[in-house]
Amino acid sequence: MCLSFLSQSVHIMTLRTWRERVEHFLKQEKFTEALSLAWSFHEGTAKAVVGLFGDPVKRKAVVADKMVEVLFQYVERWLRRCPEGKVQVLEQHFQDMVPVVVDYCLLLQRVDLLFNQIYSKLVENPVAKGVFLESLEPYILSERIGCLTAPVMRDLLSYFQENGMMESVEGCLVHMDITNLDIQQVVRMCWDNQLYDAMIYVFNSGMNDYISPMEKLLQVIGPPLQEGKPLTDEQVVMGNKLLVYISCCLAGRAYPLGDIPEDLVPQVKNQVFEFLIRLHSVESTQEEVYPFIRTLLHFDTREFLNVLALTFEDFKNDKQALEYQQRIVDILLKVMVDNSDFTPSQVGCLFTFLARQLAKPDNTLFVNRKLFDQVLEFLCSPDDDSRHTERQQVLLELLQVGGVVQFDEGRLLALAEKAEFYQICEFMYEQKHLYDRIIDCYLKDPLRKEEIYNYIHNMLSLPGYSPQDKHTARRKTLEHIKELVTINPAKTAELVSGHFTGEVDSIISALQDDYLVFQLMKNLLDPSEGPNPQMLAPNLHELLVGLLCRFCPCQVTPFLQTTQHYRLEETIE
């Protein structure tokens, strides 16, 4: 008991107050240690604390005042003891101090202290000022700092601009409250330095202006597109940003990040719709054209239509928006159908988009079916051999999304056959269950002949086809067996082995060409594939021996050595 009492007495005698413990570090100029210890008192995590209020609010206020005092001492001491030498040495000196000061000011929620009293001391030293301004970037990007005082903001932008750190300018601007800046000046700086994300953000956040950025970007990419000139890399970047920006506006998202204020969303969406349908009269083939939509369609048809598709879905219950949608569709048709400078792929994208919209059960859009007929003729034009594959693929995609209901099927099939669009014919035959005609499509299509074997195999082996369908496919296959062997004897042999073992004799007769028979039989009776019980008829092996003697004598002996399914006397003969 005496030892315990003595131990407690010694502990009380050696225990210092919290201020003394902080001062102990300050006397040794260990400022980071002093701040760290003080913060533990502020948060109530330090042990054996004497001299602090039990009330957390009062405790934090007392410690915070002391930490502010320490921060000032830290900054003043570091400014006084600047080392001599190269700039890099000075930069390192302040890099050891500035982030610590910024961190604790933010922890204490004293940005006023940071940007007024402390910054006013640091600006006296150019190196310290630069280190401080650069140190703010990660805090801004992580949104720990969202608002700067006007002088600090101006200094930050000027410093980054003077040092060629324009990416940093853009990165910081789009994360900050910029209402205390000269908006027009910042816009000019962003435009001159191709900081398009920041420019859009400044217009949106600084002036609630969502249309001017579109106009500025279109003024650059519009003229070369309308004149048929290639875009520069920079213009391509602008065009891509424009499409993404429009998409964000119509979806209620801020660009390049975040969300548009909820109370502004309907207004912004309507403004963008009105912008898209705005009519400008210009002299061009004696007609009125719609340069905004035309420019966007020319730049990236598919992406622009994807943007519209998402928007139409978002606005399907909005009566005014439905009226806008119909007007936009009318403009799309006028711009693209009446102009010959769009490719088949671009035209096809438009009508695929329209077919998707028209196929929806709640569709309210109207498109004259005669326009679909015009597009069908355009894509199936027999006088245009160029872009054959592209035109067929475009029409196929259009049909696959439900566009077939927009056409007279008989006329569609007739035009497709005339244009040699065999994939289109296959699509139509599939719907009508005319599977034997699909086999003809594969045989006629130079790009897909080799795919016919898999198609026939699937027809004859997979469920889902009626006995009559399979019978028709077998008959059609046997009708074209000579052509099939000519294209690929090995794959034909696989088909025969799997599905036509009972018709081998009739197939041999139908080939009417000894060399084709040789090609088929060589693959059919290949010993390396293992014995096939249904192909062991001796006369077939003897037939192949005779054909080997004629067309490949060097293979006769190896064949006789590796198979035993022949009669000796007949083979010798």
Side-chain angles (χ1 to χ4, degrees), residues 361-523:
D362 55 352
N363 169 62
T364 61
L365 296 174
F366 170 77
V367 178
N368 192 329
R369 284 187 61 168
K370 289 183 179 180
L371 292 174
F372 278 90
D373 290 337
Q374 291 179 30
V375 169
L376 178 61
E377 290 184 1
F378 168 64
L379 294 175
C380 295
S381 173
D383 299 326
D384 183 5
D385 292 331
S386 66
R387 300 178 181 265
H388 181 275
T389 301
E390 176 190 340
R391 289 186 288 116
Q392 176 175 217
Q393 190 58 42
V394 163
L395 182 55
L396 182 62
E397 184 179 353
L398 173 56
L399 298 179
Q400 288 171 336
V401 301
V404 69
V405 299
Q406 306 298 330
F407 303 109
D408 177 274
E409 293 187 13
R411 185 162 179 273
L412 169 61
L413 192 53
L415 286 173
E417 289 174 342
K418 190 174 183 180
E420 298 182 352
F421 284 176
Y422 298 115
Q423 291 184 58
I424 305 299
C425 296
E426 177 189 349
F427 179 87
M428 300 300 295
Y429 292 147
E430 183 79 31
Q431 292 192 327
K432 296 175 180 295
H433 305 292
L434 300 174
Y435 302 110
D436 57 328
R437 295 194 183 183
I438 294 177
I439 293 176
D440 290 326
C441 289
Y442 277 101
L443 288 171
K444 291 176 182 178
D445 192 340
L447 299 177
R448 300 195 306 153
K449 283 186 177 183
E450 290 281 346
E451 298 177 26
I452 189 173
Y453 305 96
N454 285 336
Y455 178 77
I456 294 172
H457 170 72
N458 291 337
M459 269 286 304
L460 299 179
S461 58
L462 296 179
Y465 297 98
S466 70
Q468 180 60 39
D469 293 336
K470 293 178 183 288
H471 174 74
T472 303
R474 289 179 63 86
R475 179 178 53 78
K476 177 66 72 170
T477 302
L478 292 172
E479 285 179 10
H480 290 282
I481 195 68
K482 187 172 184 178
E483 194 171 351
L484 291 171
V485 174
T486 303
I487 296 169
N488 192 317
K491 290 187 176 181
T492 306
E494 289 181 14
L495 274 182
V496 172
S497 177
H499 304 286
F500 298 93
T501 53
E503 289 94 345
V504 174
D505 289 334
S506 61
I507 288 173
I508 291 172
S509 300
L511 290 177
Q512 299 178 338
D513 183 297
D514 288 348
Y515 187 72
L516 288 180
V517 174
F518 166 64
Q519 290 285 86
L520 175 64
M521 297 305 297
K522 182 179 66 170
N523 287 282

Side-chain angles (χ1 to χ4, degrees), residues 263-398:
D263 59 322
L264 290 179
V265 170
Q267 174 187 333
V268 172
K269 289 182 177 181
N270 287 334
Q271 285 178 349
V272 174
F273 264 125
E274 291 171 356
F275 171 78
L276 291 176
I277 63 177
R278 188 183 304 165
L279 176 64
H280 283 217
S281 297
V282 297
E283 291 299 319
S284 177
T285 64
Q286 306 303 315
E287 295 180 358
E288 291 179 325
V289 298
Y290 304 79
F292 299 136
I293 288 183
R294 189 166 184 266
T295 296
L296 294 171
L297 283 170
H298 258 303
F299 180 75
D300 192 329
T301 307
R302 188 177 298 275
E303 184 59 33
F304 177 56
L305 293 174
N306 286 341
V307 168
L308 288 182
L310 292 172
T311 306
F312 283 13
E313 182 66 26
D314 189 41
F315 278 96
K316 60 186 178 183
N317 296 319
D318 186 317
K319 184 177 179 181
Q320 184 181 18
L322 292 175
E323 295 176 1
Y324 279 139
Q325 289 173 18
Q326 183 64 56
R327 291 176 67 187
I328 287 177
V329 166
D330 293 341
I331 295 171
L332 290 171
L333 290 167
K334 182 172 181 62
V335 165
M336 190 168 279
V337 176
D338 292 353
N339 288 277
S340 60
D341 54 347
F342 287 93
T343 67
S345 181
Q346 290 173 316
V347 174
C349 281
L350 171 61
F351 279 84
T352 298
F353 161 78
L354 294 175
R356 284 197 179 100
Q357 301 304 316
L358 296 173
K360 292 179 179 178
D362 55 352
N363 169 62
T364 61
L365 296 174
F366 170 77
V367 178
N368 192 329
R369 284 187 61 168
K370 289 183 179 180
L371 292 174
F372 278 90
D373 290 337
Q374 291 179 30
V375 169
L376 178 61
E377 290 184 1
F378 168 64
L379 294 175
C380 295
S381 173
D383 299 326
D384 183 5
D385 292 331
S386 66
R387 300 178 181 265
H388 181 275
T389 301
E390 176 190 340
R391 289 186 288 116
Q392 176 175 217
Q393 190 58 42
V394 163
L395 182 55
L396 182 62
E397 184 179 353
L398 173 56

